[in-house]
Amino acid sequence: MIDVYRYSLLTGDQHAHCSEFLYLSHSSLLVRLLIFSSEQGPCGYPIDLPPSGLPSGQGFPPLPPGLPGLAPGPVARSPLSPTVVIVPGRRPARLQPSWARVMAWELLEAGLVNVLVADWLLPPEQEITEGARQVGERLAQAIQTLLEDQGSSPDLFHLVGFGVGAHVAGVTGACLEGTIGRITGLDPFSPLFSEADSSLSLDPTDAQYVDVIHTNFNPNEPVAPLGVPRPLGHVDFYIGRGYQLPGCPQALMKREQYLLCSHQRAYRLFTSSIRSSTRSSTRSSTRSSTRSSCPLTAFPCQGVEDFQRAHCTHCHHPGLNICPQLGYDISWLPPDRPITFEPLTAVLDITATDPFCVKPFLLEVHLEGNASLEAQLFIQLKGDVRKTPVMLVSGPSLKQFEPHHIHQFMVSVDPAVQEIRTVVLHFYSQHLLYLAWRKTRIHIHHLVLTQLPRHQGLISYRTGSVTAVENQRVEVYLQMEE
């Protein structure tokens, strides 16, 4: 049943009858909690919270009239089970955050029994930073009420906030003095918050563990980035180039998607990671699926440029000897609280489609001879059945290829490409040379392609000597090494 619901939620046209999200403009702030349950269908249901723990006049407002099919009273929770609270960002009154339903249902399928959504609306004229503070305070009051009335513990709560909702979650955590177990920030919103009081932004003190997924930290020209570029958590994951991510429009012809696609990729990645963790926990002990064998592995790194230059190929970080993995599953994380390692930034690439994971490789090109060449390096890997697209691995600028040097590049491969057999090299110099004798020849002593992260059992590939001619493709067979 859940699979049918997931399909219809993703298509976005099946649940017009789900009217649980607030949709009427109001002259004051509106906040309420919705609960999702696999027994009650795909829609969320408002929780009628008791007044204890809430200051006078600060309780949840009554539901707008005309909302059909809503639960008449409180919905049972399991106080000793983990609770995830999804916090959407700011939205127009009549635009429902359907992605939150999808995420809620994935959490239910993963076995979680307490799944809530903090629904909220601001009056159109209210300043967004002040509104986020008020929503965060009210959400903290609601969680405090649940803690008092149901005997739960704050470390069992996990807040997942998208955009402005990430800062709302941070305010909530700060109001609860950092006792919340985990906050996940999904591309925290940058405009206005970057210049606002620091208490309004998500930070590592807001929960026992704060992880942040940055997907739009560079501008979609001519528009500034929607996400905060600076680190905000214990672990900050930076995706690709931070704009025009794989699968997103590359031009303004689709203006709305061009501006929003990379920003929205944050909640798509996290939702996909919930499915991945479900498959991983139920996979066969003898043969794992492509999804479960391809986690969203990131590499500790100072920045995206260092990652692209293959300066970050190891997992070592002071206090942490494993590569962090983006997403819902934090079994890789040491159990100690507070977090025992220093805050880190980590970088990873993704593919265009769910499950978004890649197999990262390190490409090492060992040059010999006397000739040097200023060029861009394009490569393509071919497997038994499938092949990768042509990939520019040397970056957008021309690179100087010097003899007697080892040139290193990061290569991200779709896991569907299995048993790599050949590599196609193309050194593109941008010179319009038609006479063969005028073209520079690059002598490669050998080439090594090693799967990352580096640990025992992963595969590397190697070639013998190769001569490549500028502006010409050369295909080379790879020998697999265990």
Side-chain angles (χ1 to χ4, degrees):
M1 181 177 68
I2 293 179
D3 286 336
V4 175
Y5 284 143
R6 180 194 302 147
Y7 172 77
S8 55
L9 289 168
L10 290 173
T11 59
D13 59 0
Q14 296 294 105
H15 292 103
H17 68 279
C18 289
S19 303
E20 73 274 43
F21 286 101
L22 296 164
Y23 71 89
L24 296 179
S25 296
H26 204 268
S27 59
S28 62
L29 177 72
L30 296 177
V31 184
R32 70 174 174 187
L33 282 180
L34 306 174
I35 190 165
F36 284 78
S37 168
S38 58
E39 287 77 26
Q40 302 210 37
C43 306
Y45 294 85
I47 300 177
D48 296 329
L49 290 173
S52 62
L54 297 177
S56 176
Q58 294 297 306
F60 292 88
L63 304 181
L67 297 184
L70 298 177
V75 181
R77 296 177 60 255
S78 176
L80 298 181
S81 296
T83 298
V84 173
V85 184
I86 303 168
V87 189
R90 188 172 188 176
R91 61 181 173 89
R94 296 188 179 274
L95 181 62
Q96 295 193 12
S98 60
W99 64 266
R101 285 199 201 101
V102 180
M103 185 180 292
W105 273 91
E106 294 298 347
L107 289 165
L108 291 172
E109 188 177 64
L112 209 65
V113 295
N114 298 329
V115 181
L116 307 173
V117 174
D119 190 23
W120 58 281
L121 282 179
L122 297 183
E125 68 279 0
Q126 183 166 6
E127 185 181 30
I128 192 170
T129 51
E130 175 60 19
R133 181 186 65 78
Q134 294 180 16
V135 175
E137 290 175 352
R138 292 200 186 185
L139 179 56
Q141 294 163 0
I143 292 175
Q144 186 63 44
T145 298
L146 293 174
L147 293 174
E148 292 174 357
D149 290 358
Q150 300 196 26
S152 187
S153 172
D155 60 6
L156 293 176
F157 276 76
H158 176 192
L159 308 186
V160 182
F162 168 62
V164 178
H167 300 302
V168 169
V171 172
T172 300
C175 289
L176 296 171
E177 301 181 341
T179 58
I180 291 291
R182 179 184 179 189
I183 294 178
T184 298
L186 305 178
D187 210 32
F189 195 61
S190 176
L192 299 181
F193 283 90
S194 294
E195 305 300 327
D197 187 286
S198 60
S199 65
L200 297 176
S201 293
L202 179 65
D203 69 58
T205 66
D206 293 331
Q208 296 179 38
Y209 173 58
V210 177
D211 56 320
V212 183
I213 300 174
H214 300 265
T215 53
N216 188 199
F217 49 89
N218 279 321
N220 295 301
E221 298 292 353
V223 181
L226 294 178
V228 175
R230 72 180 186 277
L232 300 175
H234 294 101
V235 180
D236 285 76
F237 296 92
Y238 289 84
I239 314 300
R241 299 182 299 172
Y243 72 104
Q244 294 182 6
L245 295 181
C248 291
Q250 304 295 302
L252 271 170
M253 289 183 292
K254 298 180 179 179
R255 179 177 176 82
E256 183 175 350
Q257 272 301 297
Y258 175 79
L259 297 177
L260 296 178
C261 179
S262 293
H263 184 50
Q264 294 173 341
R265 189 56 56 86
Y267 63 67
R268 295 182 184 275
L269 283 168
F270 191 79
T271 302
S272 176
S273 76
I274 301 168
R275 289 195 287 271
S276 296
S277 66
T278 303
R279 304 306 191 276
S280 181
S281 63
T282 59
R283 69 180 185 264
S284 166
S285 61
T286 58
R287 183 177 181 181
S288 57
S289 66
T290 299
R291 183 190 299 274
S292 62
S293 62
C294 187
L296 292 164
T297 300
F299 293 85
C301 201
Q302 291 297 316
V304 172
E305 289 187 359
D306 284 348
F307 176 77
Q308 293 171 340
R309 293 169 181 166
H311 295 166
C312 310
T313 60
H314 297 276
C315 294
H316 301 299
H317 178 79
L320 185 69
N321 293 320
I322 188 172
C323 270
Q325 293 184 10
L326 178 150
Y328 177 66
D329 184 1
I330 55 171
S331 59
W332 58 272
L333 194 69
D336 300 323
R337 299 293 183 274
I339 296 297
T340 55
F341 56 85
E342 291 297 317
L344 68 91
T345 59
V347 184
L348 69 156
D349 280 329
I350 59 172
T351 62
T353 57
D354 187 3
F356 300 109
C357 56
V358 300
K359 290 193 296 187
F361 285 85
L362 172 66
L363 174 66
E364 299 172 281
V365 182
H366 298 243
L367 297 183
E368 60 180 356
N370 299 314
S372 64
L373 177 65
E374 190 177 47
Q376 293 174 304
L377 175 58
F378 293 83
I379 74 165
Q380 183 179 41
L381 301 174
K382 297 182 179 180
D384 282 338
V385 178
R386 302 191 180 187
K387 59 186 177 182
T388 69
V390 175
M391 299 175 284
L392 173 61
V393 297
S394 60
S397 303
L398 295 174
K399 176 181 175 60
Q400 190 70 33
F401 287 89
E402 298 283 356
H404 310 293
H405 277 70
I406 302 173
H407 300 274
Q408 297 184 329
F409 309 97
M410 288 295 294
V411 180
S412 297
V413 180
D414 191 306
V417 180
Q418 300 286 333
E419 300 295 336
I420 299 171
R421 300 299 185 189
T422 64
V423 56
V424 179
L425 305 173
H426 183 192
F427 291 88
Y428 176 59
S429 67
Q430 302 181 0
H431 296 156
L432 298 178
L433 301 174
Y434 298 99
L435 299 176
W437 62 270
R438 296 188 60 185
K439 296 181 179 181
T440 301
R441 284 166 167 73
I442 294 290
H443 299 286
I444 302 172
H445 182 269
H446 66 277
L447 178 153
V448 181
L449 186 69
T450 305
Q451 188 174 350
L452 301 174
R454 299 173 184 268
H455 62 73
Q456 187 176 1
L458 288 184
I459 296 171
S460 65
Y461 302 86
R462 179 182 292 266
T463 69
S465 61
V466 181
T467 298
V469 181
E470 68 174 302
N471 300 335
Q472 291 183 10
R473 291 159 54 94
V474 57
E475 185 167 355
V476 186
Y477 284 96
L478 292 167
Q479 182 178 355
M480 185 167 58
E481 298 180 339
E482 294 290 345

